[in-house]
Amino acid sequence: MSDTTGFSTRAIHAGQQPDPTTGAVVPPIYATSTYAQDGVGGLRNGYEYSRSANPTRTALEECLASLEGGSRGFAFASGLAAEDTLLRTICRPGSHLVIPNDAYGGTFRLFAKVHARWGVQATPVPLTDLAAVEAALRPGETTAIWVETPTNPLLAVADIAALAAIAHDAGALVIVDNTFASPYLQQPLALGADVVMHSTTKYCGGHSDVVGGALVVDDPDLAEKVAFHQNAIGAVAGPFDCWLVLRGLKTLAVRMDRHCDNAERVAAFLSDHAGVSETIYPGLDSHPGRELAARQMRRFGGMVSFRVAAGEQHALDVCARTRVFTLGESLGGVESLIEHPGRMTHASVAGTELEVPADLVRLSVGIEDVEDLLADLGQALD
Ligand SMILES: *Cc1c(COP(=O)(O)O)cnc(C)c1O
């Protein structure tokens, strides 16, 4: 499907031609591990074994590549499986990466507790400070800058195009974790990034019913290397999981617009609430990255964080008192979620420089009726 075709048209059709045998409009779940060969080596459309390729996964991978504007997509069993495969594709002992100092906790743990043991070094830096990023780069040694924007849970906005220019000057790649924005709100490859990574568990799947991950690249040589490692390591997404993510992607644009509508209202409500000392949302005038977010994102997203004026205990109480917002980890589903990053998603970074404020609450604003969301937050805060 051509690059000029609209986003939703691609989300619904890219990689998803009606099944040639039956005309089934929706790609079937090819629950098969292996494929009959027409004589030794006589593969039908290249399918040999489902770790290497599966038609349901191919449909998802082609759709993701189209939505991110890359030449090739890869679907994994989780976001972290995608990250691990990518790191093992591009790194070797002695490799160095620059990572956000407020990276997703699981990403930080993968660097600090797993890849560090294999000699991969990571320097945490605030990516909003371009001078600090430049100072942390080791030309010839730094393999990549790992970018997350907006970040989790503090919603800092990093300048993808500026970071790409700095990285490329130093011979490093730029990897963007695009989970929070989704391909509908932000297109990192067009801004100069080399690799886009997703936890498809979140907005891409969108219904809190699947765990998955993805990589999208444009450069054919890098794509070949990722393809080799996807098969060699084997952390692939199964056909049913691929089917769920593919179904989620079809409604990504309409869901994201509603997530954004509701998040804007929630952010405005919290900003005016006396029980809230700070509301963090890239669309607020008070957010230092607002102008940049307006430039590089279509809208400001569905995540809102806030600090509770009365401190940590009250923050925990607010999390326990909501009824429409479900207390739980994860994000990006149709239902609203609330969580306490310090005790939940970011417990693994306690005591490190990635520690988050104890009075911080994170919301994944869902697509319910916004009046119900505002009333729920109001009663929980009062
Ligand atoms: C959830 C998440 C991940 C990890 O993805 P999993 O699917 O849970 O393995 C990575 N980055 C961000 C920003 C996330 O929110």
Side-chain angles (χ1 to χ4, degrees), residues 124-340:
V125 169
L127 296 189
T128 47
D129 182 347
L130 295 176
V133 173
E134 274 193 290
L137 280 172
R138 304 176 194 163
E141 214 179 306
T142 302
T143 306
I145 302 181
W146 188 281
V147 180
E148 214 186 295
T149 181
T151 58
N152 176 16
L154 294 171
L155 305 174
V157 178
D159 189 334
I160 297 171
L163 289 165
I166 293 174
H168 293 158
D169 275 351
L173 298 171
V174 170
I175 300 154
V176 177
D177 181 341
N178 203 26
T179 299
F180 266 41
S182 88
Y184 179 62
L185 297 183
Q186 182 168 272
Q187 309 252 294
L189 297 179
L191 294 166
D194 301 284
V195 185
V196 175
M197 175 257 146
H198 280 284
S199 168
T200 54
T201 313
K202 317 294 168 52
Y203 288 107
C204 290
H207 296 74
S208 305
D209 53 10
V210 62
V211 170
L215 299 173
V216 179
V217 302
D218 199 35
D219 177 66
D221 292 338
L222 185 56
E224 273 313 309
K225 289 183 187 139
V226 173
F228 171 82
H229 286 83
Q230 182 191 37
N231 182 51
I233 295 168
V236 295
F240 182 51
D241 289 355
C242 290
W243 186 87
L244 284 170
V245 175
L246 204 48
R247 184 167 68 160
L249 285 175
K250 290 177 197 287
T251 56
L252 181 64
V254 286
R255 284 187 288 109
M256 288 315 295
D257 274 325
R258 180 68 168 265
H259 282 296
C260 294
D261 289 345
N262 285 359
E264 285 167 15
R265 291 281 303 278
V266 164
F269 172 83
L270 293 171
S271 303
D272 288 341
H273 198 287
V276 173
S277 58
E278 185 187 1
T279 305
I280 306 169
Y281 183 65
L284 290 175
D285 288 337
S286 58
H287 193 288
R290 188 189 187 286
E291 213 180 299
L292 172 59
R295 234 187 305 132
Q296 76 181 10
M297 297 174 74
R298 190 194 295 256
R299 296 186 65 182
F300 301 107
M303 301 299 295
V304 179
S305 293
F306 63 98
R307 299 181 69 170
V308 177
E312 180 176 20
Q313 187 53 51
H314 197 206
L316 295 170
D317 293 344
V318 168
C319 291
R321 280 204 293 253
T322 54
R323 297 185 198 114
V324 182
F325 282 83
T326 301
L327 176 59
E329 301 199 354
S330 199
L331 61 111
V334 291
E335 61 286 295
S336 292
L337 298 174
I338 187 166
E339 69 121 358
H340 185 268

Side-chain angles (χ1 to χ4, degrees), residues 87 91-97 111 115-122:
L87 291 176
C91 295
R92 60 185 65 242
S95 293
H96 171 253
L97 285 92
F111 279 106
H115 284 269
R117 283 196 277 125
W118 304 97
V120 174
Q121 304 162 55

